Amino acid sequence: PVSRGPFLLSFLALAGCDLGNKRAPLDPETAKAAVQLVERIEKNPSDGPARLELGDLYWKAGRVFEAADQYKFAMDLSPGEPRAYAGLSDAYEKLGFYQQSFDALVRCAQTVARSEECVLRIGFALKSDGTKEALTQAAQAFGHFLSIAPKD
């Protein structure tokens, strides 16, 4: 099934619903970059790297809903790109969607061959829970991280 969450958030934002997402105007340089990326995406809607770059641009500009939308597209279009999962997780966390944030990291760990960042973030998320079970799982996640992290 297709998740409608990011689409609903975009619709609500476009419809004028605030939802705590203050849309500061983009500075001219950022606006120009956004327009170029949107034009690139219009020419090729399946351009995962452009979606990721647009998500990063929106994230830096404080446009969390728009960033989440683009990270979701990037994650679906480029499932091997851990930065898309991490960006989506960050956006969900900022929006208060903690379970969805955690789920994005788990999906990253299950999908991406080199998912060190996601596994490490899972460990910290579990550690912050503080329960005995979560701390045990955090220790396992940290152990897994050490087993897959580059040894340089």
Side-chain angles (χ1 to χ4, degrees):
V2 175
S3 170
R4 294 192 180 115
F7 300 108
L8 177 60
L9 295 175
S10 292
F11 174 76
L12 292 172
L14 291 173
C17 297
D18 181 7
L19 300 175
N21 185 29
K22 303 291 183 199
R23 290 185 57 171
L26 298 175
D27 66 75
E29 186 177 319
T30 302
K32 181 179 177 184
V35 167
Q36 290 172 343
L37 286 167
V38 168
E39 288 173 352
R40 183 172 147 190
I41 291 166
E42 286 174 350
K43 290 178 185 169
N44 181 9
S46 62
D47 186 342
R51 298 277 188 173
L52 179 61
E53 193 174 337
L54 186 57
D56 288 343
L57 187 144
Y58 284 146
W59 176 258
K60 290 175 188 164
R63 294 193 171 185
V64 182
F65 285 108
E66 291 95 334
D69 282 343
Q70 296 307 318
Y71 289 136
K72 177 74 172 90
F73 279 122
M75 187 178 75
D76 292 340
L77 294 168
S78 301
E81 176 54 71
R83 292 182 319 134
Y85 297 89
L88 183 62
S89 175
D90 288 343
Y92 280 156
E93 183 176 344
K94 178 89 172 177
L95 294 168
F97 302 142
Y98 302 111
Q99 185 61 52
Q100 292 87 339
S101 173
F102 186 78
D103 291 346
L105 294 174
V106 170
R107 185 170 171 199
C108 175
Q110 294 170 338
T111 307
V112 179
R114 299 293 307 191
S115 60
E116 299 92 350
E117 179 181 355
C118 295
V119 171
L120 186 61
R121 292 172 120 201
I122 288 169
F124 283 116
L126 289 165
K127 182 177 178 259
S128 71
D129 182 272
T131 65
K132 184 176 180 177
E133 180 181 356
L135 291 172
T136 300
Q137 292 173 346
Q140 291 171 345
F142 290 136
H144 181 60
F145 168 76
L146 291 173
S147 74
I148 63 172
K151 307 293 188 252
D152 348 334

